[in-house]
């Protein structure tokens, strides 16, 4: 079986660690497949598959939406629920980049002050603490 398996082309991946009470660390990987039209839908709905490895048996699932973006967002949400439940059942906590949590949500204010590139929003904004969020870059030549 190739790396993409049943979920098709992998468009996003997150590598996490499950940390047990005794400090043992176990890798956990979540992969999301490219959203595609749902062949069984009579209304043009979409599906987005995901696969979770680690924290028990490998599991493949999918979420459905009215368009590709909704299917992707709901697949991320569904994977988060599965991961949180598996971590609870294993009495482990999940970490991403050495920090608690999955990093599945985006909070532009939380990115201020972290090393590396800041989160981008459009239009430019000044945050309550005085930090600046840079505008997202458009296509070449766009400002």
């Amino acid at each position: 079986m190739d790396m993409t398996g049943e979920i098709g082309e992998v468009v996003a991946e997150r590598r996490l660690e499950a940390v047990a009470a005794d400090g043992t660390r176990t890798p956990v990987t979540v992969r999301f497949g490219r959203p595609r039209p749902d062949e069984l839908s009579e209304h043009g709905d979409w599906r987005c598959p995901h696969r979770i490895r680690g924290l028990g048996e490998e599991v493949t699932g999918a979420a459905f939406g009215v368009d590709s973006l909704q299917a992707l967002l709901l697949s991320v949400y569904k994977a988060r629920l599965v991961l949180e439940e598996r971590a609870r059942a294993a009495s482990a906590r999940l970490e991403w980049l050495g920090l608690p949590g999955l990093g599945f949500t985006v909070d532009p204010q939380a990115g201020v002050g972290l090393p590396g590139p800041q989160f981008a929003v459009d239009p430019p904004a000044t945050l309550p603490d005085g930090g600046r969020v840079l505008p997202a870059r458009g296509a070449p030549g766009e400002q």
Side-chain angles (χ1 to χ4, degrees), residues 38-86:
D38 179 18
E39 307 85 31
L40 301 177
S41 173
E42 298 176 6
H43 306 288
D45 292 333
W46 286 69
R47 69 185 309 271
C48 182
H50 59 266
R51 172 173 293 132
I52 300 171
R53 286 190 175 143
L55 277 178
E57 186 177 316
E58 179 176 301
V59 63
T60 300
F64 301 84
V66 297
D67 59 20
S68 60
L69 180 59
Q70 185 180 48
L72 173 63
L73 293 171
L74 290 173
S75 191
V76 171
Y77 179 76
K78 185 175 178 181
R80 189 191 88 203
L81 294 177
V82 170
L83 286 163
E84 289 173 348
E85 176 56 34
R86 290 180 129 193

Side-chain angles (χ1 to χ4, degrees), residues 3-137:
M3 181 175 116
T4 58
E6 300 166 19
I7 66 171
E9 179 187 356
V10 174
V11 296
E13 177 179 281
R14 173 63 43 96
R15 293 177 185 261
L16 305 160
E17 285 188 307
V19 183
D22 67 1
T24 305
R25 295 179 171 273
T26 305
V28 178
T29 302
V30 185
R31 291 187 174 117
F32 296 91
R34 178 179 299 283
R36 54 188 176 258
D38 179 18
E39 307 85 31
L40 301 177
S41 173
E42 298 176 6
H43 306 288
D45 292 333
W46 286 69
R47 69 185 309 271
C48 182
H50 59 266
R51 172 173 293 132
I52 300 171
R53 286 190 175 143
L55 277 178
E57 186 177 316
E58 179 176 301
V59 63
T60 300
F64 301 84
V66 297
D67 59 20
S68 60
L69 180 59
Q70 185 180 48
L72 173 63
L73 293 171
L74 290 173
S75 191
V76 171
Y77 179 76
K78 185 175 178 181
R80 189 191 88 203
L81 294 177
V82 170
L83 286 163
E84 289 173 348
E85 176 56 34
R86 290 180 129 193
R88 248 188 316 279
S91 298
R93 72 177 185 278
L94 291 167
E95 290 186 357
W96 176 56
L97 301 176
L99 300 171
L102 307 174
F104 278 8
T105 59
V106 177
D107 180 355
Q109 292 185 9
V112 175
L114 292 176
Q118 302 296 302
F119 295 104
V121 296
D122 198 14
T126 301
L127 299 174
D129 67 357
R132 181 155 170 79
V133 177
L134 302 175
R137 293 182 188 226

